[in-house]
Amino acid sequence: MLRASSEALDSEVDLEQLEAGADVTHGELLVRYAESAVRQDSDLGKVRSGLEAQVGPGGVIEAAATVAAFEGLNRIADATGIQLDSGLADESADFRMLLGLDAYAGAASTEVAGVPTRAADVMGIFR
Amino acid sequence: MTLTEPETYIELGAPLTDTHDSVWQRLGQCGTWWSGKERVAAMAEVRQAFCCALCIERLEALSPMMIRGEHDSVSDLPREAVDLIHRLATDPGRLSKEWALLVIESIGEEPYVELATLVCVQYVIDSFARSLGLPLRELPEPQPGEPDRVRPEGVGDVGAWVSQTVEKSLANVSRAASLVPATEDLWRELVQAHYSRGPQFADLVWDRALSRPQVELLASTVSALNECFY
């Protein structure tokens, strides 16, 4: 979804540089915030202030909402052992190996590796 | 320095916190497979997991299964239920099918899914508060009632560890909790408010405080930190 949504804005992301922000606007700050929030680091307040200076309080609330949503989404996926949707397997086939995602424990739940193919739209990814 | 005081986030994020208010109280209601008292006890276990000595030791171990012991529990829930709650809260990326099937064998498939969903719902609301420096909510009052233990129709094996609705109309993650529709409603309501927002999900360009690539970068980072394959 990161790649597809960036392309929709005629910009490119560098998936290999996820930790550095992947070339997304304020990406490095957003990554630092997500890391600090998930790990509950002692510098979370400071990181949040730094992010707010760039994206405003509304942006911080959106960021917190997203971090929280994916803390839950990751857990429901891991607890129920769902497989990748076939469209998602295809969409991610070209970078899962590159980023080491296939080494995650949850990879064992998915039987089909997928064929590198790009979906036409969002719903195609989750077909 | 804090630019915005955490309390101000509550006012600015009112639509979201209104959803939290509503969902939070319903977490304390009687479920389909667990009573209100048991559900609130499970919520107490979610918070307890972060200071559980066994969970902390397991987090540092190469494999969590190498470390045996008892969780520092604060409830009378079955031992396997406590293990599910603590592990899902603290170390979700290293759950295994073998482990899940043992828990399911002990407490049942539907109670497993209801408990897991409840943990996830609570985790979203607690995580939101922590991420903004807000105090955690007090646990809801348990509501009376007896679980009716009715398994929904139209569920079956779709290749996951647990039964789900066999009709695939959306992403697999969106039917993960379909074995327990009443608790799934809370889950869906929360995810819609936090992230997907109905038909907006299909749009690659969002008109929100953050752009969609910014939101998806956050999502990817959290998923990588949790080592979530999906």
Side-chain angles (χ1 to χ4, degrees):
Chain A
M1 295 306 303
L2 171 57
R3 180 169 60 181
S5 61
S6 295
E7 288 169 351
L9 294 173
D10 290 327
S11 60
E12 283 190 19
V13 289
D14 187 347
L15 293 176
E16 289 184 69
Q17 297 296 319
L18 193 67
E19 286 182 54
D23 292 339
V24 170
T25 306
H26 305 310
E28 194 168 353
L29 274 173
L30 291 163
V31 169
R32 294 286 88 78
Y33 177 68
E35 288 175 340
S36 191
V38 169
R39 295 173 179 152
Q40 283 299 294
D41 289 341
S42 56
D43 69 347
L44 176 58
K46 187 178 166 190
V47 175
R48 189 172 57 240
S49 293
L51 178 63
E52 188 180 322
Q54 297 300 320
V55 302
V60 169
I61 292 169
E62 189 81 43
T66 306
V67 167
F70 278 81
E71 287 273 48
L73 284 160
N74 291 169
R75 281 171 172 76
I76 201 103
D78 287 336
T80 55
I82 54 172
Q83 300 201 28
L84 286 185
D85 308 83
S86 60
L88 189 52
D90 290 345
E91 184 81 15
S92 60
D94 61 340
F95 63 79
R96 284 202 319 270
M97 180 80 81
L98 185 72
L99 300 180
L101 309 186
D102 286 332
Y104 291 172
S109 300
T110 293
E111 293 162 0
V112 181
V115 179
T117 314
R118 302 298 308 281
D121 53 30
V122 173
M123 302 323 286
I125 293 175
F126 293 102
R127 72 177 189 275
Chain B
M1 185 189 79
T2 302
L3 297 178
T4 298
E5 290 303 318
E7 290 71 22
T8 310
Y9 290 128
I10 298 177
E11 296 166 29
L12 295 171
L16 211 46
T17 49
D18 287 350
T19 300
H20 291 178
D21 290 343
S22 167
V23 167
W24 194 254
Q25 292 311 314
R26 285 181 282 160
L27 285 172
Q29 292 177 352
C30 182
T32 310
W33 299 89
W34 298 93
S35 69
K37 187 179 172 190
E38 289 168 328
R39 283 159 62 105
V40 175
M43 295 174 76
E45 290 289 358
V46 171
R47 291 188 176 165
Q48 172 67 10
F50 294 97
C51 50
C52 168
L54 178 62
C55 289
I56 292 167
E57 195 178 354
R58 279 180 168 174
L59 266 177
E60 292 167 359
L62 199 58
S63 163
M65 300 315 286
M66 291 165 62
I67 310 295
R68 304 279 174 190
E70 294 291 324
H71 289 288
D72 297 327
S73 174
V74 290
S75 72
D76 295 328
L77 293 172
R79 174 201 274 188
E80 292 77 9
V82 172
D83 194 40
L84 164 61
I85 297 163
H86 281 228
R87 287 197 59 185
L88 183 53
T90 61
D91 198 7
R94 297 196 294 175
L95 303 181
S96 68
K97 185 175 184 178
E98 293 71 24
W99 165 84
L101 294 180
L102 283 173
V103 177
I104 288 168
E105 188 179 297
S106 173
I107 67 173
E109 187 184 27
E110 300 90 347
Y112 174 97
V113 178
E114 182 170 316
L115 213 47
T117 308
L118 187 132
V119 170
C120 295
V121 170
Q122 180 187 355
Y123 208 99
V124 171
I125 295 174
D126 279 356
S127 171
F128 180 75
R130 287 192 183 102
S131 299
L132 291 176
L134 297 165
L136 297 184
R137 290 165 181 263
E138 285 186 23
L139 297 182
E141 278 296 313
Q143 300 300 308
E146 280 296 314
D148 59 18
R149 297 185 175 83
V150 175
R151 183 180 169 98
E153 294 183 0
V155 294
D157 182 4
V158 295
W161 298 350
V162 297
S163 301
Q164 294 172 356
T165 178
V166 293
E167 183 190 348
K168 179 166 170 52
S169 54
L170 293 166
N172 282 343
V173 72
S174 69
R175 59 175 172 171
S178 50
L179 191 57
V180 289
T183 305
E184 183 195 30
D185 284 348
L186 304 183
W187 169 246
R188 281 176 176 266
E189 194 174 325
L190 202 55
V191 174
Q192 288 286 337
H194 272 250
Y195 171 65
S196 43
R197 302 191 197 165
Q200 259 192 41
F201 179 70
D203 299 332
L204 285 169
V205 180
W206 283 347
D207 181 22
R208 301 186 186 176
L210 295 179
S211 69
R212 185 149 195 185
Q214 288 176 316
V215 167
E216 298 298 346
L217 176 64
L218 287 159
S220 300
T221 304
V222 174
S223 300
L225 289 167
N226 286 328
E227 297 196 359
C228 180
F229 180 70
Y230 188 85

